[in-house]
Amino acid sequence: MAAANGVRRVWVGKNTLMSTPAVSAVIRERSGADGSKATGAFILTASHNPGGPTEDFGIKYNMENGGPAPESITDKIYENTKTIKEYPIAADLPNVDISAVGVTSFEGPEGKFDVEVFDSADDYVKLMKSIFDFESIRKLLSSPKFTFCYDALHGVAGAYAHRIFVEELGAQESALLNCVPKEDFGGGHPDPNLTYAKELVARMGLGKSDTGVEPPEFGAAADGDADRNMILGKRFFVTPSDSVAIIAANAIGAIPYFSSGLKGVARSMPTSAALDVVAKSLNLKFFEVPTGWKFFGNLMDAGMCSVCGEESFGTGSDHIREKDGIWAVLAWMSILAHKNKDSIDGDTKLVMVEDIVRQHWATYGRHYYTRYDYENVDAGKAKELMEHLVKLQSSIPEVNKIVKGIRSDVANVSSADEFEYKDPVDGSISKHQGIRYLFEDGSRLVFRLSGTGSEGATIRLYIEQYEKDASKIGRESQEALSPLVDIALKLSKMEEFTGRSAPTVIT
């Protein structure tokens, strides 16, 4: 189709295995022998609007800045699908060996046409080496006091894990789990969370049963297309909201790319406000955007944002225009290397993941955080629930009367709204992005509706309790969040509207 439509050259990653962040890097960084640059890329991945009989196939288009196509483009594409009558195709184009690096030239219907197969990792590895101090990470990994484990969940990250962690950084081969990419992800679900990354969770000492084996000091997982990540310490889980805040708080000292300072930081609206506190303390520009990486991309293109993240395990920076799972792991390794630069040799105990997180909480306070997902709820009932929550917002005193009637031990609600975002770059306005109840002590309740198709809607409830008292930052999340959970469920009349006595998934 490219040849028949006048495209001059197509670049293909070897064996067609490319992570979403690597695609963004190639668009932005790679130059052909004649100086040519990519004008965009098609990514075939189940991560985006999955179609097909078993919902395992999707197509995503990335623009020449390396980021996802904005709605203005996808809307035009959709409009074209309603009127297109035919499309040209070069049916007799010979097959190209995509397992071998090299250029194959053809005489296409529109003239000369090249297909260049390149090493999927080269450009990405080069970019990572320009961002991080690989030598300091290598030194950390070589210490007998430091152990490491990375789980690609049989996704595309496996194509990069061996090259970066083993070949470039000297990690042991045994540190890699499920790093052979498989079409069916080995029968598993490639979601980097405590539910689906079972093998890693068990190895890190967070499983239900004790294996009797000492867990590694640091562990991480990737999703299917390697743009999301999960960070773990020994018997310790780092929430994505805390992860982006900790990376931002330590970036300038630990990561050479940021040594001259951060342009700004941003998070998606449902993500906890841990990043806000860091931004205020370090006097950084701060942005709260709707869910969707394209909003971060706009800020980055305008030079307004350096580090950003979402609660759904996505973290990234302005080195590309996608979230980047391996980048996040290297950022954490850089912070660990920086904190331990004087302790790697000798008998001094290393500062590890849990130490860094607890020190962060002691400095900035802790944002206890959880997400409840109610899946396949009747779409009409879900809409009624959201309308009920909006209606309640008309009288904050009335809301506080209800809140105090449920739990007298929580702070008052200071404000409530339906989140709306005006993009500071292009002026576009995104409405109905979620319903927020903000408390005087910095705690929050957020309700969002996701998907309203024939199969029903998903109600997402985000519950966040901010705690500044250093004596109270070590509690179990469930215990700390219990009062707000109670309020959220009763204020929203969740069971009354949905008929559900419990969420489908808790993260």
Side-chain angles (χ1 to χ4, degrees), residues 242-430:
D242 278 345
S243 181
V244 66
I246 289 165
I247 290 172
N250 291 279
I252 295 169
I255 301 170
Y257 180 81
F258 300 118
S259 59
S260 59
L262 299 178
K263 298 162 189 168
V265 295
R267 63 165 173 83
S268 65
M269 185 273 285
T271 303
S272 98
L275 185 62
D276 313 33
V277 182
V278 171
K280 189 175 180 184
S281 174
L282 301 182
N283 199 26
L284 296 169
K285 277 185 195 166
F286 168 78
F287 302 92
E288 181 179 31
V289 307
T291 298
W293 211 260
K294 56 183 175 276
F295 297 104
F296 295 133
N298 262 11
L299 295 170
M300 290 170 179
D301 284 345
M304 298 161 78
C305 176
S306 294
V307 172
C308 56
E310 297 179 329
E311 51 76 35
S312 52
F313 295 84
T315 327
S317 91
D318 62 350
H319 66 290
I320 55 171
R321 295 298 179 267
E322 289 279 5
K323 45 190 174 277
D324 190 344
I326 288 178
W327 173 91
V329 176
L330 291 171
W332 266 92
M333 286 182 160
S334 298
I335 292 166
L336 286 160
H338 180 68
K339 297 274 187 189
N340 291 294
K341 61 181 184 290
D342 300 322
S343 314
I344 289 174
D345 301 321
D347 300 327
T348 314
K349 187 178 180 296
L350 296 182
V351 175
M352 292 304 182
V353 173
E354 183 175 352
D355 303 321
I356 290 170
V357 175
R358 291 193 181 281
Q359 182 54 54
H360 184 89
W361 291 341
T363 305
Y364 297 102
R366 179 176 180 182
H367 292 257
Y368 290 98
Y369 185 84
T370 190
R371 183 176 107 186
Y372 282 24
D373 286 5
Y374 295 81
E375 295 174 356
N376 289 327
V377 172
D378 177 272
K381 293 294 184 185
K383 195 176 171 210
E384 282 178 32
L385 180 146
M386 300 301 272
E387 287 169 353
H388 160 72
L389 286 166
V390 171
K391 194 174 174 185
L392 272 179
Q393 293 180 343
S394 61
S395 172
I396 298 301
E398 187 60 32
V399 168
N400 279 318
K401 195 173 163 187
I402 297 168
V403 166
K404 292 299 181 185
I406 301 166
R407 295 289 298 234
S408 59
D409 56 345
V410 299
N412 277 322
V413 172
S414 56
S415 64
D417 63 8
E418 195 168 6
F419 183 60
E420 186 174 294
Y421 177 70
K422 183 175 182 181
D423 195 302
V425 180
D426 62 20
S428 61
I429 295 172
S430 302

Side-chain angles (χ1 to χ4, degrees), residues 124-142:
Y124 182 76
V125 171
K126 185 180 171 188
L127 180 60
M128 291 302 105
K129 291 174 89 167
S130 74
I131 294 169
F132 301 104
D133 180 351
F134 269 42
E135 190 51 50
S136 71
I137 300 173
R138 195 180 294 113
K139 191 175 177 187
L140 174 72
L141 280 167
S142 69

Side-chain angles (χ1 to χ4, degrees), residues 445-467:
L445 297 178
V446 175
F447 299 82
R448 283 182 67 238
L449 212 51
S450 176
T452 51
S454 57
E455 289 297 309
T458 294
I459 298 170
R460 291 205 166 100
L461 162 59
Y462 308 84
I463 302 157
E464 176 180 351
Q465 171 73 48
Y466 182 48
E467 184 57 73

